[in-house]
Amino acid sequence: MEELRLEQFWFTLLHHHETRELWHPELEVVFLLQGTGRVYFPDLDTAYTLRERDIFAVNSFEIQDFELDENSAALSFSITLGFIGDVAPELLKYKVNCRSFLYTEERQSTFDVLRRDLARAFQTLN
């Protein structure tokens, strides 16, 4: 697991069979760069199959399990709640609902913006 870390936010490259926390205090956005995988939200008793380009958010202390298949990779972007509170405190009142795999191809344009910006930010910091 490669990590590019600043104090308030960081990127992590995730690969098959690497362990990660099931829950954490940060907001996390995961972007599947290559391959396939699964994400499971026990509180919803729901598992989703992920394909390349899928993107989803994990809210602070939201329990989930994320598994990548062999030869798969994902980019994880984590943001501390302190940083969010400093930049836009009103956002702390809301739960982020971002799950691109629930939408058809025609409705991916909003997620495309997020994918592009995450890739740009990672490239800039890397």
Side-chain angles (χ1 to χ4, degrees):
M1 182 171 5
E2 283 180 59
E3 191 170 84
L4 178 58
R5 189 176 184 109
L6 300 174
E7 276 187 44
Q8 300 290 344
F9 57 89
W10 58 92
F11 287 96
T12 307
L13 282 174
L14 306 169
H15 301 281
H16 176 65
H17 278 311
E18 290 178 338
T19 58
R20 62 191 286 280
E21 295 178 40
L22 290 178
W23 63 282
H24 43 71
E26 299 82 22
L27 169 67
E28 179 184 25
V29 178
V30 179
F31 177 15
L32 193 60
L33 300 171
Q34 174 183 322
T36 57
R38 282 154 304 290
V39 63
Y40 176 67
F41 294 93
D43 58 326
L44 303 174
D45 197 29
T46 305
Y48 299 101
T49 299
L50 302 172
R51 295 181 314 261
E52 201 167 297
R53 297 188 70 245
D54 279 340
I55 193 165
F56 65 93
V58 180
N59 289 280
S60 176
F61 294 114
E62 180 177 55
I63 297 174
Q64 53 72 46
D65 192 12
F66 176 53
E67 179 181 285
L68 290 170
D69 294 329
E70 198 168 342
N71 298 319
S72 296
L75 180 63
S76 167
F77 178 59
S78 298
I79 312 164
T80 66
L81 296 184
F83 183 75
I84 294 170
D86 289 344
V87 174
E90 67 279 2
L91 293 180
L92 293 174
K93 297 185 285 187
Y94 301 100
K95 186 175 181 177
V96 176
N97 186 9
C98 173
R99 297 179 183 165
S100 69
F101 45 83
L102 297 178
Y103 297 91
T104 63
E105 190 61 39
E106 294 78 32
R107 300 209 40 217
Q108 292 296 312
S109 60
T110 302
F111 298 106
D112 287 341
V113 171
L114 187 53
R115 290 177 186 108
R116 183 195 66 226
D117 290 348
L118 280 173
R120 279 186 187 159
F122 178 72
Q123 288 173 337
T124 299
L125 290 173
N126 198 18

